[in-house]
Amino acid sequence: MIADILTVMWKDRKGLMRQGGSRARGAANQLLIVVMLAVIFPIQMGSDWFSHSLTLVAAFVVPMIAVGITVPESFAGERERHTLETLLASRLPDRAILFGKLGLAIIYGWGMAVATLLLGAVVANAVGWKGQVMFYTPPILLANLGISLLASGLTAGLGVLISLRSATAMGATQALMMFLLVPIMILQIVPLLLLTVVPNGMAIFQRLLKSLDFTQVMLVLAAVLLVVDVALLLVAMARFRRARLILS
Amino acid sequence: MTTNHTAIHVENLTRDFGKVRALDGLSLDVPAGIIFGFLGPNGAGKTTTLNLLLGLLEPTAGHAVVLGFDTRTQADEVRARSGALLEHSGIYEQLSAEDNLEFYGRVYRLPVAERRARIQELLTHMGLWERRRDSAGKWSKGMKQKLALARALLHRPSLIFLDEPTAGLDVQAAVAVRDDLASLAAREGVTVFLTTHNMTEAEKLCGRVAVIRQGRLVALGNPDELRARAGGPHVEVVGRGFTAAVLAQLRAQPVVAAAEMNNEHLTIELHTETDTAPLVGLLVGMGVQVAEVRRGKASLEEVFLTLMEEEK
């Protein structure tokens, strides 16, 4: 099973490296986001970058975008290009195909997040050099690594389910981005609206923020993401079956 | 049950899609080591049969045993021992030809050295070795089909399923794919289950054929048997002087099943393959001026059309 998973990952990695056309443009857009998060913000913040909440945003958003483009290509794209039937007619077990594709997408998304954090650290050091190398504190580093991995898993799981229902990779990517970005936007807009309605809302909100424990918040966030990730994976395993796929 | 001599055994195989019966009680045996043609018009149930034999679909009723394995319960074993070139070539266009084969070599767990040697052997045989590092997407459709054929044969399967491998190819490309298929199948001793609606292809390649229409088997046998069913051997004579007396004399001959005249064209249906010289001598003796004599037998295409008409 492991050998089969690695074989699928090998093929998808080759495909990812040799992508062209619209997929290459997608990769260029990802690079732009990485540059923005890992170069422009650290230049503006200098040493403050290492303790700023933007690092967490980078850890969350970068894998979402990277995986959000990779997974639809890998699943819906395989069907769109009529290569899935032949793959299903091979000896590969359903789960090896699923895990291989998911595995590569998650590693890719997580790798992009780690690269963003490392590049950001290099840039922040270069701009705000104080005679010694600065780096993220262990809790922040751990939170960033954990959240980015779980965000990759969340996007990958959701991406599989959407891709299984979508005729094209482009359609799946658009639907996935909508599923991911709309809740994030709502989470940003609703509190702002509430703050304008509630008297002294901003002061209450700031007091609430100060009272929160970073570790606890991260643990709760990680636990929620983990539960959602596992649930999505289980649903994906139930749906990614030959007899279903050949008829879809 | 399949034996060493039977690659595929199908019994009362039926598959419904909702209210539509795509395959209706199909029963047949495919002997090992031959190219078996599975013929039928579009929508006859050829691809459904193929998906059932590969264990990609479950039958509504009946069962199939492929290479000794039940397709319902041992589909993994069937897929491990067979190769497939389905309706679409399944080639990864962003990968090179070599990487396409490398991937499937890994899928079938060929050891590295064997994998490389086999890839070189197949690509060389197909005349594609020099272009192995090209992206497959830049290749012509014929080259992609050849590559897909190489992929199907890569792990030396005992059985390959080919779903209309020359569909959509130009004449030259189709001939090239057909030649490669014939030579590779003969060299490797592989059983080939070939679905097609190209009668010329079936006639050239297949040792045995089955014809289906609307999911039902309408004929099974070797091409000669099917030709005999559609009509025996015949002789066409072009010339002048065909009279009613000549026709009557011809019809009285024991070897002649029927004789029809159309202007300067006479068609004589024979009961069996026979020497036509006495018949030509008879015509000349009765004053017929013979310009041309052609012997012939019904093509598989004529057989197919006859079968389709009969079923209507």
Side-chain angles (χ1 to χ4, degrees):
Chain A
M1 180 75 156
I2 299 292
D4 292 336
I5 291 170
L6 291 175
T7 296
V8 175
M9 289 173 76
W10 177 88
K11 189 271 292 176
D12 272 16
R13 181 183 60 81
K14 283 265 179 183
L16 197 66
M17 285 165 61
R18 296 184 69 152
Q19 60 192 4
S22 61
R23 277 167 281 161
R25 283 194 291 279
N29 291 338
Q30 290 175 44
L31 198 66
L32 195 70
I33 291 162
V34 169
V35 167
M36 202 172 84
L37 287 168
V39 178
I40 295 173
F41 290 136
I43 285 174
Q44 289 175 342
M45 293 174 196
S47 58
D48 289 343
W49 166 254
F50 294 101
S51 56
H52 201 279
S53 59
L54 259 177
T55 60
L56 201 61
V57 172
F60 202 76
V61 171
V62 168
M64 273 189 168
I65 293 169
V67 177
I69 291 169
T70 311
V71 164
E73 271 301 324
S74 181
F75 286 87
E78 187 107 39
R79 189 171 55 224
E80 188 182 357
R81 292 186 289 273
H82 303 293
T83 50
L84 185 62
E85 292 155 305
T86 303
L87 195 60
L88 296 176
S90 76
R91 57 158 293 282
L92 285 175
D94 296 348
R95 289 194 176 166
I97 299 172
L98 175 68
F99 292 157
K101 287 177 170 295
L102 277 178
L104 184 83
I106 290 171
I107 288 171
Y108 177 65
W110 195 55
M112 289 283 278
V114 171
T116 304
L117 292 172
L118 288 177
L119 184 61
V122 170
V123 172
N125 269 294
V127 172
W129 182 251
K130 290 177 178 170
Q132 62 178 9
V133 175
M134 297 174 284
F135 203 60
Y136 308 97
T137 59
I140 287 180
L141 181 64
L142 207 62
N144 281 335
L145 293 179
I147 295 298
S148 57
L149 184 61
L150 291 166
S152 295
L154 171 77
T155 314
L158 203 56
V160 173
L161 298 182
I162 290 171
S163 294
L164 292 178
R165 289 177 159 269
S166 184
T168 64
M170 180 69 83
T173 305
Q174 288 168 348
L176 177 59
M177 287 303 165
M178 200 183 76
F179 261 90
L180 291 170
L181 295 180
V182 168
I184 291 173
M185 285 167 68
I186 290 171
L187 280 174
Q188 286 180 325
I189 292 167
V190 170
L192 284 175
L193 287 175
L194 285 175
L195 289 177
T196 56
V197 174
V198 178
N200 293 327
M202 189 54 78
I204 295 167
F205 184 65
Q206 282 173 345
R207 274 204 304 277
L208 180 71
L209 279 181
K210 279 180 186 170
S211 69
L212 288 176
D213 178 69
F214 176 78
T215 310
Q216 280 179 343
V217 171
M218 284 302 109
L219 284 174
V220 169
L221 182 61
V224 169
L225 282 174
L226 186 63
V227 168
V228 175
D229 280 10
V230 171
L232 288 172
L233 182 65
L234 291 175
V235 178
M237 284 166 65
R239 298 223 170 147
F240 194 87
R241 293 187 186 279
R242 274 180 164 81
R244 265 174 181 265
L245 294 168
I246 208 78
L247 293 173
S248 63
Chain B
M1 276 293 291
T2 57
T3 67
N4 287 340
H5 305 294
T6 307
I8 300 172
H9 172 72
V10 173
E11 210 168 288
N12 197 32
L13 200 63
T14 302
R15 172 70 200 205
D16 296 336
F17 293 106
K19 289 178 180 172
V20 177
R21 177 148 290 186
L23 198 64
D24 191 0
L26 178 73
S27 296
L28 55 81
D29 285 308
V30 176
I34 68 160
I35 300 182
F36 183 88
F38 197 57
L39 317 181
N42 290 335
K46 301 191 296 292
T47 301
T48 299
T49 305
L50 216 129
N51 285 333
L52 287 165
L53 294 178
L54 277 163
L56 298 175
L57 287 176
E58 285 208 355
T60 307
H63 77 281
V65 179
V66 176
L67 301 171
F69 298 99
D70 190 310
T71 57
R72 197 193 287 263
T73 55
Q74 298 169 295
D76 292 347
E77 301 294 337
V78 173
R79 289 191 290 267
R81 288 165 176 78
S82 53
L85 195 178
L86 302 177
E87 185 183 356
H88 299 283
S89 70
I91 294 297
Y92 292 102
E93 302 209 338
Q94 73 273 35
L95 299 189
S96 68
E98 195 173 31
D99 282 343
N100 267 281
L101 295 187
E102 173 72 20
F103 170 56
Y104 276 96
R106 287 173 184 233
V107 165
Y108 287 99
R109 296 187 178 167
L110 297 181
V112 179
E114 187 187 339
R115 194 162 72 219
R116 290 190 180 146
R118 182 71 170 151
I119 289 170
Q120 182 169 4
E121 178 196 355
L122 286 167
L123 288 181
T124 303
H125 184 97
M126 306 253 184
L128 301 172
W129 177 246
E130 297 303 319
R131 297 188 61 184
R132 65 190 180 280
R133 296 209 170 93
D134 291 0
S135 282
K138 292 178 183 166
W139 283 9
S140 68
K141 195 168 179 200
M143 290 166 78
K144 285 182 204 167
Q145 284 299 88
K146 282 182 159 203
L147 179 60
L149 184 58
R151 183 201 58 217
L153 289 161
L154 185 67
H155 55 295
R156 299 183 197 279
S158 323
L159 170 67
I160 57 171
F161 293 96
L162 306 178
D163 193 0
E164 311 209 0
T166 57
L169 299 185
D170 61 43
V171 177
Q172 277 183 316
V175 168
V177 169
R178 220 172 276 145
D179 288 348
D180 281 334
L181 170 61
S183 66
L184 285 167
R187 196 180 73 178
E188 312 219 341
V190 63
T191 306
V192 180
F193 188 90
L194 171 77
T195 76
T196 182
H197 57 224
N198 184 326
M199 297 303 130
T200 312
E201 186 165 283
E203 198 146 25
K204 284 188 176 167
L205 294 174
C206 301
R208 196 166 170 80
V209 295
V211 182
I212 62 164
R213 184 174 186 273
Q214 293 180 340
R216 297 179 71 91
L217 184 70
V218 294
L220 176 67
N222 66 46
D224 284 337
E225 286 169 353
L226 296 192
R227 281 192 203 101
R229 179 172 163 175
H234 61 268
V235 180
E236 289 178 31
V237 183
V238 181
R240 269 181 250 164
F242 301 127
T243 61
V246 169
L247 270 182
Q249 190 69 29
L250 268 177
R251 286 170 181 157
Q253 301 301 308
V255 294
V256 175
E260 295 297 332
M261 188 177 64
N262 185 8
N263 295 327
E264 296 180 349
H265 201 108
L266 179 69
T267 303
I268 309 167
E269 298 284 343
L270 303 171
H271 287 300
T272 55
E273 286 285 351
T274 185
D275 182 11
T276 54
L279 291 176
V280 176
L282 178 74
L283 292 171
V284 173
M286 293 185 75
V288 173
Q289 293 177 302
V290 176
E292 189 181 343
V293 178
R294 286 197 296 263
R295 292 178 62 115
K297 51 187 176 182
S299 69
L300 208 50
E301 191 158 88
E302 287 166 319
V303 174
F304 182 77
L305 291 172
T306 306
L307 287 167
M308 293 301 111
E309 281 301 313
E310 280 175 5
E311 282 299 304
K312 279 180 189 170

